[in-house]
Amino acid sequence: MNLYQTKRCYSANMRELSKAGSDWWESFQELLEDQIDFPGEYLFKFIVPRTNLDDLKSVFGRHPVRVRESRKGNYVSVTARMHMHSSDEVIAVYSAAAEVDDVISL
């Protein structure tokens, strides 16, 4: 299974992923290291209820993010392209995002 397939397979509530256990995170980190050239650009995509947008944006600090509303405006998608130096940095972003209520990783 490649990195894209793994992310799509586990496109889920981030709180559930954070509870998935170290085996899943270790496998994900191995795939990152195997398939992504670090340092390099990494694309993060999340969906979150509009009410939690500021919490998710704070994960990215001053880094610019693209925000798009859902048709009804209840949810927003958040996309960020960030320069990452290692798989540990990528995992840290996902871990921080997992602290945001009702966030979904794509």
Side-chain angles (χ1 to χ4, degrees):
M1 188 175 288
N2 67 31
L3 180 62
Y4 177 76
Q5 291 168 326
T6 300
K7 284 178 68 178
R8 298 302 292 170
C9 180
Y10 287 97
S11 181
N13 182 297
M14 289 297 294
R15 287 210 191 270
E16 294 303 314
L17 278 183
S18 67
K19 296 175 190 173
S22 61
D23 288 346
W24 188 89
W25 286 105
E26 288 172 11
S27 296
F28 182 59
Q29 188 163 22
E30 286 176 20
L31 285 172
L32 284 170
E33 291 171 0
D34 194 41
Q35 297 184 18
I36 305 292
D37 291 326
F38 292 104
E41 196 169 271
Y42 189 84
L43 180 70
F44 293 95
K45 286 187 164 207
F46 299 97
I47 295 174
V48 68
R50 177 169 255 324
T51 56
N52 299 346
L53 174 60
D54 289 337
D55 293 338
L56 183 58
K57 285 173 73 174
S58 71
V59 168
F60 299 102
R62 294 183 176 188
H63 192 83
V65 297
R66 188 175 106 205
V67 177
R68 293 182 58 191
E69 282 190 12
S70 65
R71 191 175 340 180
K72 294 182 181 180
N74 296 330
Y75 291 87
V76 292
S77 68
V78 177
T79 303
R81 288 185 183 275
M82 298 178 70
H83 187 78
M84 297 279 110
H85 292 92
S86 69
S87 61
D88 290 327
E89 287 184 351
V90 173
I91 299 290
V93 171
Y94 282 117
S95 295
E99 297 301 315
V100 177
D101 289 336
D102 301 318
V103 68
I104 297 170
S105 171
L106 300 178

